[in-house]
Amino acid sequence: MGPKYDGISLKISLNDNIMIQTKGGINVTTLLRNNKTINSSIEQLSKKYKVICGELLIPKNIFGEKYSEQYENPRNFVSAAIHENDDIDIQDLVFKPCTDGKNLIIENTDFKLIDPRQLYKINDGYIQFLKGDNFPFLCDGIVVSYNETGKRQIKDNYPLNTIAIKFASETVQTEVEDMI
């Protein structure tokens, strides 16, 4: 179990040439190849894995200091940084590796395996921590990974025995005062 980060999904292929792609297949290798956290992940994990999947994020404090006046939230900023190539410091972005496409990369993530039948035991304090200001990244839920058969179930390079549980959205009530 771990946080469901709210960023941009990336897939790093480590074959003959390194290729970094978004979930939609956009090649962002040139843009992100010099990012220190991506390079660190490649250096640490390339001997064991040929594919590294994870989330590209911006810490909430850096977003607040440098980009909050231009962008509504950290996720919108990361998306714009990738798709619009705005004038940003690429080192402000952080890559969190999560999986090799088939298995969790447990030793390098915030994830812990949990039996989904034990979800009721999740501490409300943990959820409040993930939603709060002290958690460094935007998080919109938790991810639970389970393994009942002893084998990961994969379809089209996506693990099937992973469940994302989104937090309830905040709602507000508005009152119409006048109609013209």
Side-chain angles (χ1 to χ4, degrees):
M1 174 183 71
K4 181 184 173 301
Y5 294 114
D6 195 10
I8 298 293
S9 295
L10 291 182
K11 176 181 174 183
I12 303 173
S13 300
L14 303 170
N15 295 317
D16 295 333
N17 296 316
I18 293 171
M19 182 185 296
I20 307 169
Q21 293 178 298
T22 65
K23 192 172 186 178
I26 298 170
N27 187 333
V28 291
T29 306
T30 303
L31 177 66
L32 296 176
R33 186 58 181 99
N34 293 320
N35 176 279
K36 61 187 172 197
T37 60
I38 288 178
N39 285 335
S40 175
S41 294
I42 290 170
E43 186 176 311
Q44 290 176 16
L45 302 171
S46 62
K47 290 176 179 59
K48 189 171 180 181
Y49 302 103
K50 292 296 176 198
V51 173
I52 305 167
C53 299
E55 288 286 311
L56 188 65
L57 309 156
I58 184 164
K60 290 189 283 191
N61 64 330
I62 293 175
F63 173 79
E65 292 168 11
K66 295 174 77 173
Y67 304 105
S68 62
E69 290 187 17
Q70 292 175 269
Y71 298 93
E72 187 174 331
N73 60 53
R75 194 210 180 282
N76 288 358
F77 167 77
V78 175
S79 180
I82 293 297
H83 295 101
E84 299 169 15
N85 298 324
D86 285 351
D87 187 26
I88 60 141
D89 182 354
I90 207 69
Q91 300 307 327
D92 288 341
L93 300 173
V94 174
F95 179 70
K96 293 291 257 179
C98 298
T99 175
D100 66 355
K102 296 183 180 178
N103 301 292
L104 290 176
I105 304 173
I106 304 246
E107 64 269 16
N108 292 292
T109 69
D110 300 315
F111 284 87
K112 294 175 182 66
L113 291 178
I114 186 173
D115 183 332
R117 294 169 290 206
Q118 302 297 313
L119 285 174
Y120 69 92
K121 292 183 179 179
I122 294 173
N123 184 322
D124 189 53
Y126 176 66
I127 292 173
Q128 294 309 315
F129 169 69
L130 293 177
K131 293 169 80 173
D133 292 335
N134 290 331
F135 190 71
F137 301 103
L138 193 60
C139 177
D140 64 351
I142 59 172
V143 176
V144 178
S145 182
Y146 62 97
N147 193 345
E148 294 175 345
T149 64
K151 290 186 175 182
R152 296 294 289 170
Q153 298 170 342
I154 308 299
K155 182 174 182 182
D156 298 329
N157 219 23
Y158 294 100
L160 299 179
N161 21 2
T162 302
I163 302 167
I165 303 169
K166 291 194 65 144
F167 299 140
S169 298
E170 291 185 23
T171 59
V172 294
Q173 186 171 347
T174 59
E175 185 178 313
V176 177
E177 293 179 1
D178 189 19
M179 290 183 68
I180 300 175

